[in-house]
Amino acid sequence: ELKVEQNPLFLSMQEGKNYTIYCNYSTTSDRLYWYRQDPGKSLESLFVLLSNGAVKQEGRLMASLDTKARLSTLHITAAVHDLSATYFCAVVQGAQKLVFGQGTRLTINP
Amino acid sequence: DAGVTQSPTHLIKTRGQQVTLRCSPKSGHDTVSWYQQALGQGPQFIFQYYEEEERQRGNFPDRFSGHQFPNYSSELNVNALLLGDSALYLCASSFDPWTGTTDTQYFGPGTRLTVL
């Protein structure tokens, strides 16, 4: 059974700092997604990573994928308050079933 | 493009009742998946519909059933509601990767179900 684990689960950081969220998964998959969720809201797609070594960047967020290590990272550069949210990674199993991690609740303080 | 839409937004039911949730996929998408998200947890896959048939199913009891219509919209039905069914129910749509380009799953706003 595919398991997806994120760490840390809670992260409180100051504006302007850098940090990384880690996502480990237990079995081979050909796609990994990162989503953002604001309180009481739905999931917003951030990145889809399709191959080993894939790196994608959008603003202050950068995601990478190492399929051999079964590890993805979401790096936050010079954090700003607007990035406060819960971040989920999800790995595809089968046709399009997504298996989600527990989520990382990120709080960015002024 | 309206994106993925779901109805209703909120719903309150009592134990033992039945509920139907509805989802309209993003334009051009033919695959609909349903997820249950309990408070403070990641979404859990319920099932997926493609060409009006259930293609994959997660670890949910038979009380959870669904349907996909010819226009690709979908319904999720839950019978004999339990307190533990209280959650945010998310619908996601995508374009089938076996017939076309791999695509992201786009999520709707969700239906918040409360069972009393």
Side-chain angles (χ1 to χ4, degrees), chain A residues 1 31 33 35 37 40-43 45 48 50 88 93-98 100-102 105, chain B residues 35 37 41-43 45 48 55-56 88 90 94-98 102-105 107-109:
Chain A
E1 181 186 347
R31 273 173 286 155
Y33 299 87
Y35 286 90
Q37 187 175 40
K41 304 293 186 181
S42 187
L43 298 168
S45 175
V48 53
L50 299 176
F88 291 95
Q93 182 177 48
Q96 288 188 42
K97 170 185 174 181
L98 292 181
F100 283 82
Q102 314 97 305
R105 187 177 299 177
Chain B
Y35 293 82
Q37 186 178 23
Q41 303 294 317
F45 177 80
Q48 181 184 90
R55 183 162 67 177
Q56 279 188 276
L88 179 67
L90 296 164
S94 55
F95 181 68
D96 184 74
W98 291 347
T102 301
D103 202 0
T104 299
Q105 289 193 32
F107 283 80

Side-chain angles (χ1 to χ4, degrees), chain A residues 2 6 8 13 27 29 32 43 52 55 67 76 79 93 95 97 101 110:
Chain A
L2 173 60
Q6 290 181 233
M13 54 192 292
T27 62
S29 175
L32 187 141
L43 298 168
N52 189 43
V55 177
T67 57
I76 302 149
Q93 182 177 48
K97 170 185 174 181

Side-chain angles (χ1 to χ4, degrees), chain A residues 75-86:
Chain A
H75 187 72
I76 302 149
T77 302
V80 293
H81 179 69
D82 287 352
L83 291 178
S84 295
T86 298

Side-chain angles (χ1 to χ4, degrees), chain B residues 32-34 45-49 54 56-58 64-66 76:
Chain B
V32 173
S33 303
W34 286 91
F45 177 80
I46 302 175
F47 43 53
Q48 181 184 90
Y49 277 85
E54 183 182 292
Q56 279 188 276
R57 188 178 183 92
F64 289 77
S65 63
L76 164 65

